[in-house]
């Protein structure tokens, strides 16, 4: 049975999995030392791969690697990642690891994990949105990951919901949805009262008026944004992943009530809003799934 190694290269952490063609995780390893990965990212990846290799036998012929940044058109390297992980751009992973390696964006990998083995396994057209420090995501069209021109499709956070706002996103968009709900902006949005979405949700659970208003206002904006995506793509499902989804019912229940107000549902059509199946190792699993698909295409 075909197997693949999947690697997820993060800011301070490198995660790796060995999976089979059915998505079963045979082995997994993680290196997280709290140090800045800008210095020793290659060393950490090599170490994780070496930890997985003794268990691979002769059947592993492919590696998938997910990373921040935009992959090149051939998915052999990260082509664009300014200001982070110096030396990663155009780095040749196949030569470094000694096994053919396919590379893709980390949010695209998360989508691939859900589409291949997770919450989106039964869907052909869907959207994944990561809710964490910021917003990222991926698009599934006709059962395939859509990467777009310059492989930059899925920058979900950089859509404006308030063009007159003085906040500008990393991609230059004023009043972005990423600012409206992302964890990075919570201190500014709360006038310094909360330093994380977790703190905000604790206050929301206590029914504090300001926290209740701020959280529900964020979710109303997010629901309007999702309804706009639905109007454009008409997906079968939208799956949410990332740290903010740990809020559970505090997120999904009010979000669904707002969707009931804003989603266009001709003849009873309703887009499913799902929680991601995979969490910590989604990037590694998706990268491995992407590599396995590439291997099938090349046979």
């Amino acid at each position: 049975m075909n197997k693949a190694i999947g690697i997820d290269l993060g800011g301070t952490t490198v995660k790796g999995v060995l999976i089979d063609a059915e998505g079963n995780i045979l082995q997994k390893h993680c290196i997280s030392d709290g140090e800045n990965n800008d210095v020793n990212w290659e060393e950490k990846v090599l170490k994780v791969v070496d930890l997985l290799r003794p268990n691979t036998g002769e059947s592993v012929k492919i590696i998938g690697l997910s990373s921040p940044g935009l992959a090149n058109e051939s998915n052999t390297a990260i082509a664009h990642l300014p200001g982070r992980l110096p030396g990663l751009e155009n780095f040749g992973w196949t030569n470094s690891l000694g096994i053919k390696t396919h590379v893709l964006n980390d949010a695209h990998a998360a989508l691939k994990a859900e589409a291949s083995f997770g919450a989106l396994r039964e869907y052909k057209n869907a959207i994944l949105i990561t809710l964490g420090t910021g917003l990222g995501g991926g698009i599934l069209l006709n059962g395939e990951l859509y990467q777009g021109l310059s492989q930059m499709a899925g920058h979900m956070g950089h859509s404006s919901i308030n063009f007159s706002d003085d906040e500008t996103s990393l991609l230059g968009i004023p009043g972005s949805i990423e600012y409206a709900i992302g964890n990075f902006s919570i201190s500014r949005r709360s006038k310094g009262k909360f330093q994380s979405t977790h703190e905000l949700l604790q206050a929301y659970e206590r029914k504090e008026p300001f926290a209740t208003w701020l959280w529900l206002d964020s979710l109303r904006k997010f629901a309007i944004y999702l309804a706009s995506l639905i109007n454009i793509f008409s997906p079968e499902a939208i799956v949410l992943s990332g740290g903010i989804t740990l809020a559970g019912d505090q997120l999904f229940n009010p979000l669904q009530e707002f969707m009931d107000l804003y989603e266009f549902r001709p003849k009873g059509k309703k887009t499913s809003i799902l929680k991601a199946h995979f969490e910590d190792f989604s990037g590694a699993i998706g990268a491995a799934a992407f590599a396995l698909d590439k291997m099938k295409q090349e046979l």
Side-chain angles (χ1 to χ4, degrees):
M1 183 179 292
N2 290 330
K3 300 174 185 176
I5 290 173
I7 300 294
D8 182 21
L9 172 58
T12 59
T13 303
V14 175
K15 300 170 184 175
V17 297
L18 173 67
I19 69 168
D20 62 22
E22 300 301 317
N24 297 306
I25 299 176
L26 308 176
Q27 295 285 337
K28 64 181 180 180
H29 290 283
C30 176
I31 296 177
S32 180
D33 57 13
E35 295 178 1
N36 193 321
N37 226 5
D38 284 357
V39 177
N40 56 0
W41 46 265
E42 183 186 6
E43 177 184 332
K44 291 181 180 179
V45 170
L46 287 169
K47 185 174 181 179
V48 171
V49 170
D50 285 341
L51 288 169
L52 294 167
R53 270 177 169 159
N55 304 290
T56 62
E58 297 298 324
S59 59
V60 173
K61 301 177 182 177
I62 202 82
I63 293 176
L65 185 140
S66 76
S67 165
L70 306 180
N72 61 14
E73 291 187 8
S74 59
N75 287 102
T76 57
I78 292 296
H80 186 73
L81 184 62
R84 293 185 62 191
L85 304 175
L88 182 64
E89 290 185 344
N90 301 312
F91 181 82
W93 283 107
T94 295
N95 290 335
S96 174
L97 299 175
I99 300 175
K100 189 165 187 179
T101 302
H102 297 279
V103 179
L104 75 166
N105 170 265
D106 49 6
H108 289 178
L111 170 68
K112 189 64 182 172
E114 297 298 332
S116 298
F117 309 120
L120 296 176
R121 193 167 188 173
E122 302 301 320
Y123 298 95
K124 289 188 176 180
N125 299 288
I127 293 171
L128 176 137
I129 299 176
T130 60
L131 293 170
T133 302
L135 270 69
I139 302 167
L140 186 73
L141 294 179
N142 296 319
E144 299 291 335
L145 168 66
Y146 175 70
Q147 297 183 84
L149 178 67
S150 298
Q151 313 285 63
M152 66 170 288
H155 278 76
M156 299 299 182
H158 304 279
S159 296
S160 179
I161 57 168
N162 181 12
F163 65 86
S164 62
D165 198 303
D166 62 356
E167 175 276 334
T168 302
S169 79
L170 184 64
L171 300 190
I173 299 297
S176 68
I177 185 62
E178 181 171 79
Y179 176 77
I181 197 170
N183 192 58
F184 81 97
S185 62
I186 189 63
S187 179
R188 180 181 172 191
R189 287 189 284 124
S190 69
K191 309 300 182 183
K193 185 174 179 63
F194 305 114
Q195 300 306 310
S196 69
T197 302
H198 178 67
E199 289 182 12
L200 169 63
L201 287 169
Q202 287 180 319
Y204 172 70
E205 189 171 7
R206 295 192 297 268
K207 302 185 186 305
E208 294 182 12
F210 176 67
T212 299
W213 169 81
L214 182 59
W215 178 239
L216 294 181
D217 181 64
S218 298
L219 292 187
R220 176 178 174 269
K221 292 172 180 176
F222 188 52
I224 292 171
Y225 165 73
L226 293 184
S228 300
L229 288 181
I230 289 168
N231 292 340
I232 295 168
F233 291 103
S234 192
E236 300 163 80
I238 295 175
V239 63
L240 306 181
S241 70
I244 293 178
T245 64
L246 297 176
D249 289 345
Q250 291 179 316
L251 167 65
F252 287 94
N253 288 349
L255 177 61
Q256 191 59 66
E257 289 193 34
F258 285 125
M259 293 302 297
D260 292 341
L261 290 175
Y262 297 117
E263 183 184 357
F264 178 51
R265 295 170 177 170
K267 296 183 179 180
K269 174 198 75 67
K270 182 178 178 180
T271 301
S272 298
I273 307 296
L274 309 172
K275 186 178 186 297
H277 176 75
F278 297 107
E279 295 180 359
D280 288 348
F281 280 80
S282 62
I285 294 166
F290 183 77
L292 285 170
D293 282 356
K294 287 290 187 181
M295 185 167 65
K296 290 177 187 177
Q297 295 169 10
E298 293 168 359
L299 291 178

